[in-house]
Amino acid sequence: MGTSYTTHVSAVLDPTRKPASADLSAKQFHAVAPDAATTVDVSTSFGYGLLANAPESGDQASIVIFGCAKGKLGGTVKPGDILMATTGGELIVVALADAAPAEGFCVALEAGVDDGVIWVFVNGRNPQYVDDGGGSLSDGGALATAYS
């Protein structure tokens, strides 16, 4: 399936190391986000990062928030596509007609199809602060609170 990125791959993990709020052992490589001030779960609206491990409930989640990581796909992608999370935490191409660009938080590094796992670059464009339409930044609410 394309180029191997296994040599010299580095990534930044979320330093807060929050525990999983549920059994995420089958959700490795899915998009995750804080679901409360103290835990993380599979993303239901946006991606904060990608789950690098497979924690059970209460285990520490390793979340890639910047850099190269593997991502689980929810559709067909090609290299360079900007990706966002589905409600199930899978990655799909951002449809600019439907979504704000701030929802895209990673870029595909290789082609892939639905239910596949590919290398992506998590670039940290998360809706902690989003353009409010007036050219200024608005507070992202729950995410900003959970990580403050």
Side-chain angles (χ1 to χ4, degrees), residues 10-12 47-50 63-70 80-85 91-92 94 100-109 119-129:
S10 61
V12 177
Y48 170 74
L50 295 176
I63 305 167
V64 177
I65 59 172
F66 188 85
C68 292
K70 288 186 176 184
D81 281 344
I82 298 172
L83 307 176
M84 62 184 274
L91 301 176
I92 59 170
V94 170
E103 290 181 297
F105 73 102
C106 57
V107 177
L109 295 177
W119 284 100
V120 301
F121 185 81
V122 179
N123 59 3
R125 288 187 298 156
N126 299 298
Q128 294 154 313
Y129 296 96

PDB file of all heavy atoms in Angstrom, residues 10-12 47-50 63-70 80-85 91-92 94 100-109 119-129:
ATOM      1  N   SER A  10       8.310  10.419  14.040  1.00  0.00           N
ATOM      2  CA  SER A  10       8.177  10.950  15.387  1.00  0.00           C
ATOM      3  C   SER A  10       6.828  11.641  15.517  1.00  0.00           C
ATOM      4  O   SER A  10       6.241  12.083  14.542  1.00  0.00           O
ATOM      5  CB  SER A  10       9.303  11.930  15.708  1.00  0.00           C
ATOM      6  OG  SER A  10       9.258  13.015  14.813  1.00  0.00           O
ATOM      7  N   ALA A  11       6.345  11.695  16.718  1.00  0.00           N
ATOM      8  CA  ALA A  11       5.053  12.304  16.981  1.00  0.00           C
ATOM      9  C   ALA A  11       5.051  12.887  18.386  1.00  0.00           C
ATOM     10  O   ALA A  11       5.827  12.478  19.245  1.00  0.00           O
ATOM     11  CB  ALA A  11       3.951  11.267  16.843  1.00  0.00           C
ATOM     12  N   VAL A  12       4.166  13.834  18.606  1.00  0.00           N
ATOM     13  CA  VAL A  12       3.987  14.433  19.916  1.00  0.00           C
ATOM     14  C   VAL A  12       2.742  13.818  20.541  1.00  0.00           C
ATOM     15  O   VAL A  12       1.669  13.832  19.949  1.00  0.00           O
ATOM     16  CB  VAL A  12       3.817  15.961  19.811  1.00  0.00           C
ATOM     17  CG1 VAL A  12       3.555  16.569  21.173  1.00  0.00           C
ATOM     18  CG2 VAL A  12       5.047  16.586  19.160  1.00  0.00           C
ATOM     19  N   GLY A  47     -11.873  15.740  15.854  1.00  0.00           N
ATOM     20  CA  GLY A  47     -10.703  14.998  16.296  1.00  0.00           C
ATOM     21  C   GLY A  47      -9.747  15.880  17.051  1.00  0.00           C
ATOM     22  O   GLY A  47      -9.360  16.940  16.575  1.00  0.00           O
ATOM     23  N   TYR A  48      -9.382  15.444  18.239  1.00  0.00           N
ATOM     24  CA  TYR A  48      -8.337  16.122  19.006  1.00  0.00           C
ATOM     25  C   TYR A  48      -6.994  15.496  18.660  1.00  0.00           C
ATOM     26  O   TYR A  48      -5.983  16.160  18.584  1.00  0.00           O
ATOM     27  CB  TYR A  48      -8.633  15.987  20.493  1.00  0.00           C
ATOM     28  CG  TYR A  48      -7.491  16.436  21.380  1.00  0.00           C
ATOM     29  CD1 TYR A  48      -7.216  17.787  21.533  1.00  0.00           C
ATOM     30  CD2 TYR A  48      -6.694  15.515  22.042  1.00  0.00           C
ATOM     31  CE1 TYR A  48      -6.158  18.211  22.324  1.00  0.00           C
ATOM     32  CE2 TYR A  48      -5.644  15.934  22.833  1.00  0.00           C
ATOM     33  CZ  TYR A  48      -5.380  17.277  22.978  1.00  0.00           C
ATOM     34  OH  TYR A  48      -4.344  17.700  23.760  1.00  0.00           O
ATOM     35  N   GLY A  49      -7.009  14.188  18.457  1.00  0.00           N
ATOM     36  CA  GLY A  49      -5.807  13.445  18.119  1.00  0.00           C
ATOM     37  C   GLY A  49      -6.172  12.029  17.759  1.00  0.00           C
ATOM     38  O   GLY A  49      -7.349  11.661  17.726  1.00  0.00           O
ATOM     39  N   LEU A  50      -5.158  11.197  17.501  1.00  0.00           N
ATOM     40  CA  LEU A  50      -5.387   9.798  17.134  1.00  0.00           C
ATOM     41  C   LEU A  50      -4.873   8.889  18.238  1.00  0.00           C
ATOM     42  O   LEU A  50      -3.781   9.091  18.768  1.00  0.00           O
ATOM     43  CB  LEU A  50      -4.687   9.471  15.814  1.00  0.00           C
ATOM     44  CG  LEU A  50      -5.240  10.216  14.597  1.00  0.00           C
ATOM     45  CD1 LEU A  50      -4.410   9.903  13.369  1.00  0.00           C
ATOM     46  CD2 LEU A  50      -6.697   9.861  14.364  1.00  0.00           C
ATOM     47  N   ILE A  63      -2.300   9.559  22.945  1.00  0.00           N
ATOM     48  CA  ILE A  63      -2.959  10.285  21.865  1.00  0.00           C
ATOM     49  C   ILE A  63      -1.926  11.103  21.108  1.00  0.00           C
ATOM     50  O   ILE A  63      -1.259  11.960  21.685  1.00  0.00           O
ATOM     51  CB  ILE A  63      -4.044  11.224  22.416  1.00  0.00           C
ATOM     52  CG1 ILE A  63      -5.035  10.448  23.284  1.00  0.00           C
ATOM     53  CG2 ILE A  63      -4.757  11.946  21.288  1.00  0.00           C
ATOM     54  CD1 ILE A  63      -5.933  11.338  24.105  1.00  0.00           C
ATOM     55  N   VAL A  64      -1.787  10.835  19.811  1.00  0.00           N
ATOM     56  CA  VAL A  64      -0.896  11.631  18.969  1.00  0.00           C
ATOM     57  C   VAL A  64      -1.623  12.926  18.636  1.00  0.00           C
ATOM     58  O   VAL A  64      -2.694  12.911  18.024  1.00  0.00           O
ATOM     59  CB  VAL A  64      -0.516  10.884  17.682  1.00  0.00           C
ATOM     60  CG1 VAL A  64       0.352  11.778  16.794  1.00  0.00           C
ATOM     61  CG2 VAL A  64       0.204   9.588  18.005  1.00  0.00           C
ATOM     62  N   ILE A  65      -1.040  14.063  19.058  1.00  0.00           N
ATOM     63  CA  ILE A  65      -1.663  15.357  18.800  1.00  0.00           C
ATOM     64  C   ILE A  65      -0.903  16.158  17.747  1.00  0.00           C
ATOM     65  O   ILE A  65      -1.402  17.176  17.276  1.00  0.00           O
ATOM     66  CB  ILE A  65      -1.828  16.185  20.095  1.00  0.00           C
ATOM     67  CG1 ILE A  65      -0.489  16.426  20.771  1.00  0.00           C
ATOM     68  CG2 ILE A  65      -2.815  15.515  21.031  1.00  0.00           C
ATOM     69  CD1 ILE A  65      -0.541  17.383  21.949  1.00  0.00           C
ATOM     70  N   PHE A  66       0.285  15.683  17.354  1.00  0.00           N
ATOM     71  CA  PHE A  66       1.043  16.333  16.295  1.00  0.00           C
ATOM     72  C   PHE A  66       2.084  15.356  15.779  1.00  0.00           C
ATOM     73  O   PHE A  66       2.791  14.733  16.561  1.00  0.00           O
ATOM     74  CB  PHE A  66       1.736  17.600  16.807  1.00  0.00           C
ATOM     75  CG  PHE A  66       2.370  18.414  15.712  1.00  0.00           C
ATOM     76  CD1 PHE A  66       1.626  19.325  14.988  1.00  0.00           C
ATOM     77  CD2 PHE A  66       3.702  18.237  15.399  1.00  0.00           C
ATOM     78  CE1 PHE A  66       2.209  20.059  13.964  1.00  0.00           C
ATOM     79  CE2 PHE A  66       4.289  18.966  14.378  1.00  0.00           C
ATOM     80  CZ  PHE A  66       3.541  19.878  13.656  1.00  0.00           C
ATOM     81  N   GLY A  67       2.163  15.215  14.462  1.00  0.00           N
ATOM     82  CA  GLY A  67       3.165  14.356  13.853  1.00  0.00           C
ATOM     83  C   GLY A  67       2.556  13.176  13.128  1.00  0.00           C
ATOM     84  O   GLY A  67       1.344  13.114  12.901  1.00  0.00           O
ATOM     85  N   CYS A  68       3.401  12.216  12.756  1.00  0.00           N
ATOM     86  CA  CYS A  68       2.965  11.047  11.995  1.00  0.00           C
ATOM     87  C   CYS A  68       2.301  10.022  12.905  1.00  0.00           C
ATOM     88  O   CYS A  68       2.786   9.748  13.996  1.00  0.00           O
ATOM     89  CB  CYS A  68       4.150  10.401  11.290  1.00  0.00           C
ATOM     90  SG  CYS A  68       4.835  11.432   9.986  1.00  0.00           S
ATOM     91  N   ALA A  69       1.198   9.470  12.420  1.00  0.00           N
ATOM     92  CA  ALA A  69       0.454   8.457  13.171  1.00  0.00           C
ATOM     93  C   ALA A  69      -0.342   7.617  12.190  1.00  0.00           C
ATOM     94  O   ALA A  69      -0.529   8.000  11.032  1.00  0.00           O
ATOM     95  CB  ALA A  69      -0.491   9.122  14.172  1.00  0.00           C
ATOM     96  N   LYS A  70      -0.811   6.501  12.664  1.00  0.00           N
ATOM     97  CA  LYS A  70      -1.712   5.686  11.858  1.00  0.00           C
ATOM     98  C   LYS A  70      -3.139   6.106  12.158  1.00  0.00           C
ATOM     99  O   LYS A  70      -3.475   6.419  13.305  1.00  0.00           O
ATOM    100  CB  LYS A  70      -1.517   4.204  12.160  1.00  0.00           C
ATOM    101  CG  LYS A  70      -0.213   3.655  11.620  1.00  0.00           C
ATOM    102  CD  LYS A  70      -0.127   2.161  11.799  1.00  0.00           C
ATOM    103  CE  LYS A  70       1.141   1.632  11.163  1.00  0.00           C
ATOM    104  NZ  LYS A  70       1.192   0.160  11.233  1.00  0.00           N
ATOM    105  N   GLY A  80      -2.545  13.749   0.585  1.00  0.00           N
ATOM    106  CA  GLY A  80      -2.771  15.180   0.605  1.00  0.00           C
ATOM    107  C   GLY A  80      -4.169  15.590   1.027  1.00  0.00           C
ATOM    108  O   GLY A  80      -4.410  16.771   1.288  1.00  0.00           O
ATOM    109  N   ASP A  81      -5.114  14.642   1.093  1.00  0.00           N
ATOM    110  CA  ASP A  81      -6.466  14.983   1.536  1.00  0.00           C
ATOM    111  C   ASP A  81      -6.445  15.439   2.990  1.00  0.00           C
ATOM    112  O   ASP A  81      -5.768  14.839   3.833  1.00  0.00           O
ATOM    113  CB  ASP A  81      -7.407  13.775   1.431  1.00  0.00           C
ATOM    114  CG  ASP A  81      -7.907  13.523   0.020  1.00  0.00           C
ATOM    115  OD1 ASP A  81      -7.781  14.424  -0.839  1.00  0.00           O
ATOM    116  OD2 ASP A  81      -8.435  12.416  -0.215  1.00  0.00           O
ATOM    117  N   ILE A  82      -7.200  16.492   3.292  1.00  0.00           N
ATOM    118  CA  ILE A  82      -7.381  16.941   4.669  1.00  0.00           C
ATOM    119  C   ILE A  82      -8.503  16.097   5.257  1.00  0.00           C
ATOM    120  O   ILE A  82      -9.569  15.942   4.660  1.00  0.00           O
ATOM    121  CB  ILE A  82      -7.726  18.433   4.733  1.00  0.00           C
ATOM    122  CG1 ILE A  82      -6.561  19.246   4.157  1.00  0.00           C
ATOM    123  CG2 ILE A  82      -8.022  18.857   6.168  1.00  0.00           C
ATOM    124  CD1 ILE A  82      -6.858  20.720   3.997  1.00  0.00           C
ATOM    125  N   LEU A  83      -8.245  15.536   6.436  1.00  0.00           N
ATOM    126  CA  LEU A  83      -9.173  14.585   7.034  1.00  0.00           C
ATOM    127  C   LEU A  83      -9.791  15.119   8.318  1.00  0.00           C
ATOM    128  O   LEU A  83      -9.168  15.865   9.064  1.00  0.00           O
ATOM    129  CB  LEU A  83      -8.451  13.270   7.317  1.00  0.00           C
ATOM    130  CG  LEU A  83      -7.708  12.643   6.124  1.00  0.00           C
ATOM    131  CD1 LEU A  83      -6.957  11.401   6.568  1.00  0.00           C
ATOM    132  CD2 LEU A  83      -8.657  12.343   4.984  1.00  0.00           C
ATOM    133  N   MET A  84     -11.021  14.682   8.556  1.00  0.00           N
ATOM    134  CA  MET A  84     -11.752  15.002   9.784  1.00  0.00           C
ATOM    135  C   MET A  84     -12.303  13.700  10.352  1.00  0.00           C
ATOM    136  O   MET A  84     -12.231  12.656   9.712  1.00  0.00           O
ATOM    137  CB  MET A  84     -12.886  15.982   9.497  1.00  0.00           C
ATOM    138  CG  MET A  84     -13.936  15.455   8.535  1.00  0.00           C
ATOM    139  SD  MET A  84     -15.202  16.678   8.109  1.00  0.00           S
ATOM    140  CE  MET A  84     -16.332  16.442   9.465  1.00  0.00           C
ATOM    141  N   ALA A  85     -12.846  13.756  11.552  1.00  0.00           N
ATOM    142  CA  ALA A  85     -13.381  12.566  12.210  1.00  0.00           C
ATOM    143  C   ALA A  85     -14.870  12.406  11.930  1.00  0.00           C
ATOM    144  O   ALA A  85     -15.616  13.381  11.877  1.00  0.00           O
ATOM    145  CB  ALA A  85     -13.159  12.654  13.718  1.00  0.00           C
ATOM    146  N   LEU A  91     -11.608   8.380   9.994  1.00  0.00           N
ATOM    147  CA  LEU A  91     -11.177   9.555   9.246  1.00  0.00           C
ATOM    148  C   LEU A  91     -11.804   9.580   7.858  1.00  0.00           C
ATOM    149  O   LEU A  91     -11.793   8.563   7.154  1.00  0.00           O
ATOM    150  CB  LEU A  91      -9.657   9.576   9.122  1.00  0.00           C
ATOM    151  CG  LEU A  91      -8.893   9.587  10.447  1.00  0.00           C
ATOM    152  CD1 LEU A  91      -7.396   9.503  10.194  1.00  0.00           C
ATOM    153  CD2 LEU A  91      -9.235  10.818  11.255  1.00  0.00           C
ATOM    154  N   ILE A  92     -12.323  10.748   7.476  1.00  0.00           N
ATOM    155  CA  ILE A  92     -12.888  10.959   6.144  1.00  0.00           C
ATOM    156  C   ILE A  92     -12.386  12.291   5.614  1.00  0.00           C
ATOM    157  O   ILE A  92     -11.920  13.137   6.367  1.00  0.00           O
ATOM    158  CB  ILE A  92     -14.434  10.941   6.149  1.00  0.00           C
ATOM    159  CG1 ILE A  92     -14.989  12.020   7.078  1.00  0.00           C
ATOM    160  CG2 ILE A  92     -14.959   9.558   6.532  1.00  0.00           C
ATOM    161  CD1 ILE A  92     -16.489  12.232   6.972  1.00  0.00           C
ATOM    162  N   VAL A  94     -12.467  16.000   4.469  1.00  0.00           N
ATOM    163  CA  VAL A  94     -13.275  17.167   4.827  1.00  0.00           C
ATOM    164  C   VAL A  94     -14.030  17.625   3.584  1.00  0.00           C
ATOM    165  O   VAL A  94     -13.435  17.816   2.530  1.00  0.00           O
ATOM    166  CB  VAL A  94     -12.385  18.322   5.342  1.00  0.00           C
ATOM    167  CG1 VAL A  94     -13.179  19.609   5.477  1.00  0.00           C
ATOM    168  CG2 VAL A  94     -11.753  17.959   6.657  1.00  0.00           C
ATOM    169  N   ALA A 100     -16.576  23.218   8.602  1.00  0.00           N
ATOM    170  CA  ALA A 100     -15.597  24.298   8.745  1.00  0.00           C
ATOM    171  C   ALA A 100     -14.202  23.712   8.576  1.00  0.00           C
ATOM    172  O   ALA A 100     -13.943  22.609   9.043  1.00  0.00           O
ATOM    173  CB  ALA A 100     -15.736  24.933  10.119  1.00  0.00           C
ATOM    174  N   PRO A 101     -13.297  24.417   7.909  1.00  0.00           N
ATOM    175  CA  PRO A 101     -11.937  23.892   7.744  1.00  0.00           C
ATOM    176  C   PRO A 101     -11.263  23.537   9.064  1.00  0.00           C
ATOM    177  O   PRO A 101     -10.399  22.687   9.110  1.00  0.00           O
ATOM    178  CB  PRO A 101     -11.200  25.032   7.048  1.00  0.00           C
ATOM    179  CG  PRO A 101     -12.262  25.788   6.346  1.00  0.00           C
ATOM    180  CD  PRO A 101     -13.489  25.670   7.214  1.00  0.00           C
ATOM    181  N   ALA A 102     -11.682  24.176  10.156  1.00  0.00           N
ATOM    182  CA  ALA A 102     -11.074  23.886  11.454  1.00  0.00           C
ATOM    183  C   ALA A 102     -11.320  22.450  11.896  1.00  0.00           C
ATOM    184  O   ALA A 102     -10.644  21.957  12.776  1.00  0.00           O
ATOM    185  CB  ALA A 102     -11.614  24.843  12.511  1.00  0.00           C
ATOM    186  N   GLU A 103     -12.309  21.765  11.281  1.00  0.00           N
ATOM    187  CA  GLU A 103     -12.578  20.384  11.671  1.00  0.00           C
ATOM    188  C   GLU A 103     -11.539  19.413  11.117  1.00  0.00           C
ATOM    189  O   GLU A 103     -11.398  18.318  11.607  1.00  0.00           O
ATOM    190  CB  GLU A 103     -13.977  19.972  11.220  1.00  0.00           C
ATOM    191  CG  GLU A 103     -15.058  20.679  12.011  1.00  0.00           C
ATOM    192  CD  GLU A 103     -16.434  20.258  11.577  1.00  0.00           C
ATOM    193  OE1 GLU A 103     -16.786  20.504  10.411  1.00  0.00           O
ATOM    194  OE2 GLU A 103     -17.136  19.676  12.404  1.00  0.00           O
ATOM    195  N   GLY A 104     -10.845  19.812  10.053  1.00  0.00           N
ATOM    196  CA  GLY A 104      -9.783  18.968   9.521  1.00  0.00           C
ATOM    197  C   GLY A 104      -8.574  19.055  10.430  1.00  0.00           C
ATOM    198  O   GLY A 104      -8.089  20.133  10.720  1.00  0.00           O
ATOM    199  N   PHE A 105      -8.102  17.901  10.914  1.00  0.00           N
ATOM    200  CA  PHE A 105      -6.986  17.945  11.860  1.00  0.00           C
ATOM    201  C   PHE A 105      -5.813  17.077  11.443  1.00  0.00           C
ATOM    202  O   PHE A 105      -4.814  17.020  12.138  1.00  0.00           O
ATOM    203  CB  PHE A 105      -7.460  17.560  13.266  1.00  0.00           C
ATOM    204  CG  PHE A 105      -7.769  16.103  13.451  1.00  0.00           C
ATOM    205  CD1 PHE A 105      -6.861  15.270  14.101  1.00  0.00           C
ATOM    206  CD2 PHE A 105      -8.948  15.556  12.980  1.00  0.00           C
ATOM    207  CE1 PHE A 105      -7.136  13.923  14.271  1.00  0.00           C
ATOM    208  CE2 PHE A 105      -9.229  14.213  13.154  1.00  0.00           C
ATOM    209  CZ  PHE A 105      -8.324  13.396  13.798  1.00  0.00           C
ATOM    210  N   CYS A 106      -5.918  16.401  10.297  1.00  0.00           N
ATOM    211  CA  CYS A 106      -4.766  15.644   9.813  1.00  0.00           C
ATOM    212  C   CYS A 106      -4.817  15.546   8.286  1.00  0.00           C
ATOM    213  O   CYS A 106      -5.829  15.842   7.661  1.00  0.00           O
ATOM    214  CB  CYS A 106      -4.678  14.267  10.477  1.00  0.00           C
ATOM    215  SG  CYS A 106      -6.090  13.209  10.292  1.00  0.00           S
ATOM    216  N   VAL A 107      -3.678  15.133   7.718  1.00  0.00           N
ATOM    217  CA  VAL A 107      -3.524  15.040   6.268  1.00  0.00           C
ATOM    218  C   VAL A 107      -3.103  13.618   5.920  1.00  0.00           C
ATOM    219  O   VAL A 107      -2.198  13.056   6.565  1.00  0.00           O
ATOM    220  CB  VAL A 107      -2.445  16.039   5.776  1.00  0.00           C
ATOM    221  CG1 VAL A 107      -2.226  15.908   4.278  1.00  0.00           C
ATOM    222  CG2 VAL A 107      -2.828  17.458   6.148  1.00  0.00           C
ATOM    223  N   ALA A 108      -3.742  13.044   4.901  1.00  0.00           N
ATOM    224  CA  ALA A 108      -3.384  11.687   4.455  1.00  0.00           C
ATOM    225  C   ALA A 108      -1.999  11.699   3.817  1.00  0.00           C
ATOM    226  O   ALA A 108      -1.703  12.541   2.973  1.00  0.00           O
ATOM    227  CB  ALA A 108      -4.416  11.180   3.460  1.00  0.00           C
ATOM    228  N   LEU A 109      -1.151  10.760   4.217  1.00  0.00           N
ATOM    229  CA  LEU A 109       0.177  10.620   3.617  1.00  0.00           C
ATOM    230  C   LEU A 109       0.209   9.553   2.540  1.00  0.00           C
ATOM    231  O   LEU A 109       1.189   9.431   1.807  1.00  0.00           O
ATOM    232  CB  LEU A 109       1.213  10.288   4.698  1.00  0.00           C
ATOM    233  CG  LEU A 109       1.443  11.388   5.736  1.00  0.00           C
ATOM    234  CD1 LEU A 109       2.434  10.912   6.785  1.00  0.00           C
ATOM    235  CD2 LEU A 109       1.911  12.673   5.080  1.00  0.00           C
ATOM    236  N   TRP A 119      -0.992   5.878   7.113  1.00  0.00           N
ATOM    237  CA  TRP A 119      -0.207   6.898   7.792  1.00  0.00           C
ATOM    238  C   TRP A 119      -0.780   8.266   7.464  1.00  0.00           C
ATOM    239  O   TRP A 119      -1.110   8.559   6.313  1.00  0.00           O
ATOM    240  CB  TRP A 119       1.257   6.838   7.368  1.00  0.00           C
ATOM    241  CG  TRP A 119       2.001   5.718   7.994  1.00  0.00           C
ATOM    242  CD1 TRP A 119       2.301   4.509   7.412  1.00  0.00           C
ATOM    243  CD2 TRP A 119       2.533   5.678   9.308  1.00  0.00           C
ATOM    244  NE1 TRP A 119       2.992   3.738   8.312  1.00  0.00           N
ATOM    245  CE2 TRP A 119       3.153   4.423   9.486  1.00  0.00           C
ATOM    246  CE3 TRP A 119       2.549   6.586  10.364  1.00  0.00           C
ATOM    247  CZ2 TRP A 119       3.775   4.050  10.662  1.00  0.00           C
ATOM    248  CZ3 TRP A 119       3.176   6.215  11.543  1.00  0.00           C
ATOM    249  CH2 TRP A 119       3.783   4.959  11.683  1.00  0.00           C
ATOM    250  N   VAL A 120      -0.913   9.088   8.488  1.00  0.00           N
ATOM    251  CA  VAL A 120      -1.392  10.459   8.338  1.00  0.00           C
ATOM    252  C   VAL A 120      -0.453  11.379   9.105  1.00  0.00           C
ATOM    253  O   VAL A 120       0.334  10.926   9.940  1.00  0.00           O
ATOM    254  CB  VAL A 120      -2.845  10.634   8.856  1.00  0.00           C
ATOM    255  CG1 VAL A 120      -3.800   9.728   8.106  1.00  0.00           C
ATOM    256  CG2 VAL A 120      -2.937  10.394  10.351  1.00  0.00           C
ATOM    257  N   PHE A 121      -0.563  12.666   8.825  1.00  0.00           N
ATOM    258  CA  PHE A 121       0.163  13.658   9.602  1.00  0.00           C
ATOM    259  C   PHE A 121      -0.860  14.465  10.384  1.00  0.00           C
ATOM    260  O   PHE A 121      -1.687  15.165   9.800  1.00  0.00           O
ATOM    261  CB  PHE A 121       0.997  14.585   8.710  1.00  0.00           C
ATOM    262  CG  PHE A 121       1.842  15.541   9.506  1.00  0.00           C
ATOM    263  CD1 PHE A 121       3.055  15.121  10.041  1.00  0.00           C
ATOM    264  CD2 PHE A 121       1.417  16.834   9.764  1.00  0.00           C
ATOM    265  CE1 PHE A 121       3.829  15.984  10.803  1.00  0.00           C
ATOM    266  CE2 PHE A 121       2.183  17.707  10.516  1.00  0.00           C
ATOM    267  CZ  PHE A 121       3.394  17.280  11.035  1.00  0.00           C
ATOM    268  N   VAL A 122      -0.831  14.338  11.700  1.00  0.00           N
ATOM    269  CA  VAL A 122      -1.719  15.102  12.573  1.00  0.00           C
ATOM    270  C   VAL A 122      -1.101  16.490  12.700  1.00  0.00           C
ATOM    271  O   VAL A 122       0.017  16.632  13.170  1.00  0.00           O
ATOM    272  CB  VAL A 122      -1.860  14.433  13.964  1.00  0.00           C
ATOM    273  CG1 VAL A 122      -2.773  15.247  14.862  1.00  0.00           C
ATOM    274  CG2 VAL A 122      -2.364  13.002  13.824  1.00  0.00           C
ATOM    275  N   ASN A 123      -1.848  17.517  12.252  1.00  0.00           N
ATOM    276  CA  ASN A 123      -1.259  18.850  12.210  1.00  0.00           C
ATOM    277  C   ASN A 123      -1.861  19.815  13.217  1.00  0.00           C
ATOM    278  O   ASN A 123      -1.583  20.997  13.172  1.00  0.00           O
ATOM    279  CB  ASN A 123      -1.306  19.426  10.795  1.00  0.00           C
ATOM    280  CG  ASN A 123      -2.710  19.531  10.258  1.00  0.00           C
ATOM    281  OD1 ASN A 123      -3.676  19.236  10.948  1.00  0.00           O
ATOM    282  ND2 ASN A 123      -2.835  19.935   9.014  1.00  0.00           N
ATOM    283  N   GLY A 124      -2.680  19.311  14.112  1.00  0.00           N
ATOM    284  CA  GLY A 124      -3.117  20.131  15.226  1.00  0.00           C
ATOM    285  C   GLY A 124      -4.139  21.198  14.933  1.00  0.00           C
ATOM    286  O   GLY A 124      -4.321  22.100  15.734  1.00  0.00           O
ATOM    287  N   ARG A 125      -4.828  21.135  13.809  1.00  0.00           N
ATOM    288  CA  ARG A 125      -5.856  22.137  13.531  1.00  0.00           C
ATOM    289  C   ARG A 125      -7.154  21.700  14.179  1.00  0.00           C
ATOM    290  O   ARG A 125      -8.052  21.177  13.541  1.00  0.00           O
ATOM    291  CB  ARG A 125      -6.038  22.338  12.035  1.00  0.00           C
ATOM    292  CG  ARG A 125      -4.859  23.066  11.450  1.00  0.00           C
ATOM    293  CD  ARG A 125      -5.078  23.424  10.036  1.00  0.00           C
ATOM    294  NE  ARG A 125      -5.239  22.188   9.265  1.00  0.00           N
ATOM    295  CZ  ARG A 125      -5.879  22.120   8.115  1.00  0.00           C
ATOM    296  NH1 ARG A 125      -6.423  23.173   7.595  1.00  0.00           N
ATOM    297  NH2 ARG A 125      -5.957  20.986   7.471  1.00  0.00           N
ATOM    298  N   ASN A 126      -7.246  21.891  15.466  1.00  0.00           N
ATOM    299  CA  ASN A 126      -8.418  21.471  16.223  1.00  0.00           C
ATOM    300  C   ASN A 126      -9.267  22.673  16.586  1.00  0.00           C
ATOM    301  O   ASN A 126      -8.763  23.775  16.724  1.00  0.00           O
ATOM    302  CB  ASN A 126      -7.974  20.761  17.510  1.00  0.00           C
ATOM    303  CG  ASN A 126      -7.162  19.533  17.172  1.00  0.00           C
ATOM    304  OD1 ASN A 126      -7.650  18.630  16.541  1.00  0.00           O
ATOM    305  ND2 ASN A 126      -5.905  19.536  17.561  1.00  0.00           N
ATOM    306  N   PRO A 127     -10.562  22.468  16.791  1.00  0.00           N
ATOM    307  CA  PRO A 127     -11.444  23.606  17.060  1.00  0.00           C
ATOM    308  C   PRO A 127     -11.416  24.100  18.500  1.00  0.00           C
ATOM    309  O   PRO A 127     -12.444  24.414  19.078  1.00  0.00           O
ATOM    310  CB  PRO A 127     -12.818  23.054  16.678  1.00  0.00           C
ATOM    311  CG  PRO A 127     -12.711  21.607  16.928  1.00  0.00           C
ATOM    312  CD  PRO A 127     -11.289  21.242  16.601  1.00  0.00           C
ATOM    313  N   GLN A 128     -10.230  24.143  19.100  1.00  0.00           N
ATOM    314  CA  GLN A 128     -10.136  24.763  20.416  1.00  0.00           C
ATOM    315  C   GLN A 128     -10.487  26.238  20.280  1.00  0.00           C
ATOM    316  O   GLN A 128     -11.153  26.815  21.111  1.00  0.00           O
ATOM    317  CB  GLN A 128      -8.727  24.613  20.983  1.00  0.00           C
ATOM    318  CG  GLN A 128      -8.387  23.176  21.275  1.00  0.00           C
ATOM    319  CD  GLN A 128      -6.906  22.949  21.223  1.00  0.00           C
ATOM    320  OE1 GLN A 128      -6.242  23.372  20.298  1.00  0.00           O
ATOM    321  NE2 GLN A 128      -6.367  22.266  22.213  1.00  0.00           N
ATOM    322  N   TYR A 129     -10.008  26.813  19.218  1.00  0.00           N
ATOM    323  CA  TYR A 129     -10.323  28.197  18.875  1.00  0.00           C
ATOM    324  C   TYR A 129     -10.633  28.209  17.389  1.00  0.00           C
ATOM    325  O   TYR A 129      -9.824  27.766  16.591  1.00  0.00           O
ATOM    326  CB  TYR A 129      -9.151  29.127  19.192  1.00  0.00           C
ATOM    327  CG  TYR A 129      -8.865  29.159  20.665  1.00  0.00           C
ATOM    328  CD1 TYR A 129      -7.890  28.359  21.221  1.00  0.00           C
ATOM    329  CD2 TYR A 129      -9.629  29.958  21.511  1.00  0.00           C
ATOM    330  CE1 TYR A 129      -7.652  28.360  22.580  1.00  0.00           C
ATOM    331  CE2 TYR A 129      -9.400  29.964  22.868  1.00  0.00           C
ATOM    332  CZ  TYR A 129      -8.416  29.174  23.395  1.00  0.00           C
ATOM    333  OH  TYR A 129      -8.191  29.165  24.738  1.00  0.00           O
TER     334      TYR A 129
END
